[in-house]
Amino acid sequence: MRIIALDVHRSFAQTAILENGKLRDAGKIDLEYSRLLRFARKLKPDDEIVIEATGNTSAIVRVLLPFVGRVVIANPILVRAIAWAKVKTDKIDAAVLAKLHASGFLPEVWMPDEETEARRRVVAERTQLVSQMTRLKNRIQSVLHANLIPPYKGVLFSQRGRAWLEAQPLAEDQRRVIVRHAGELDRLGAELAEVDKSLAQAALEEPRVKRLMTITGVNSTVAMSVLAAIGDIHRFSSPEKLVSYFGLNPRVRQSGDKPAYHGRITKQGRAHARSMLVEAAWVISGAPGRYAHSSSGSGTNGANMSLRWQPRASWRSSSGTF
């Protein structure tokens, strides 16, 4: 069996091969579909490929997987923590991946299926649209601030707020900027409505989304974001593992005979899904019931915002859904 490690870049990958205990440099391969396929056809059925998780990893895996015994995806953050070195080159990085996998110390990550990947792309598209709209709104607010115009007491981007905005005394060039940004907001808003519609339609056909929506504060968008991040629930052995994946578990510091210190949430893992869950938690905190105000603390910057979820033994049903 050979272990073939790929240090992936945008247009090429540096390769290293570990066979019978001997490591050798195998040069570079171009990451263009036809050339990558030509490389894949030279591989053996019992070869194992090691590759770090990056933007084009899934496409590379789908090309190589039919020709080899296994493709292993490494967590790049943990790899750097384990194999930190002052001398860093592409050849060294590829060799480190091969050695870590051979020794059994390679931190692996899960490869999502095509359905989960498609769901993640839609969620990412929505996130980008919301981010662009927020940026445009901030630019309009900055123009008003630069001209000493006090904030509008209401929803600025409603019909009434737009009328108020058009009536403000502004220089012609700044008015043109606001009109352009407002028009772009309308266009992005229409695209966002289409994405939300597609997410809502998908939510109606997904029983796991319906189950998540029984939780206060979780709507179809939050549920679809969480489902896209989780993928296969069976890859998490316990509720604590799932909470840790979202980065909602508190930091822990302990040394010697001193007691453990629990701090802020770690904020590791899926950032977007975590932010959606935090938004849902804020909704819960304002609703009447047992969770009302449970997330409030003495600080104003979220120091006590780690979610206190109580793990249950039956966190997964017998059918494998949650």
Side-chain angles (χ1 to χ4, degrees), residues 18-139:
L18 183 61
E19 185 177 13
N20 298 325
K22 295 183 179 180
L23 183 68
R24 61 184 176 87
D25 173 36
K28 298 179 180 179
I29 56 173
D30 292 329
L31 295 182
E32 190 269 329
Y33 179 79
S34 60
R35 296 184 180 182
L36 183 61
L37 185 61
R38 192 181 310 135
F39 166 78
R41 287 171 175 161
K42 298 178 183 178
L43 300 174
K44 300 178 181 179
D46 62 341
D47 285 343
E48 293 192 0
I49 303 293
V50 184
I51 180 174
E52 280 189 333
T54 185
N56 54 358
T57 295
S58 60
I60 297 173
V61 170
R62 298 197 192 286
V63 174
L64 300 180
L65 190 57
F67 300 91
V68 297
R70 187 184 177 203
V71 177
V72 180
I73 305 175
N75 185 322
I77 297 176
L78 296 182
V79 167
R80 291 188 186 95
I82 295 172
W84 182 87
K86 290 186 177 180
V87 179
K88 184 181 182 302
T89 66
D90 294 341
K91 292 182 180 180
I92 292 177
D93 288 346
V96 166
L97 288 175
K99 290 178 180 178
L100 285 177
H101 180 58
S103 62
F105 287 104
L106 186 75
E108 300 182 28
V109 297
W110 176 70
M111 173 66 182
D113 53 64
E114 293 187 11
E115 181 181 2
T116 302
E117 275 200 347
R119 193 176 287 131
R120 286 181 176 182
R121 287 195 297 268
V122 175
V123 170
E125 180 186 3
R126 186 186 187 279
T127 303
Q128 292 172 0
L129 288 172
V130 172
S131 177
Q132 292 176 31
M133 293 178 69
T134 302
R135 185 164 55 251
L136 289 171
K137 290 178 180 179
N138 289 340
R139 288 177 178 175

Side-chain angles (χ1 to χ4, degrees), residues 281-299:
W282 279 116
V283 173
I284 295 174
S285 69
R290 59 180 294 194
Y291 297 112
H293 309 295
S294 63
S295 62
S296 61
S298 58

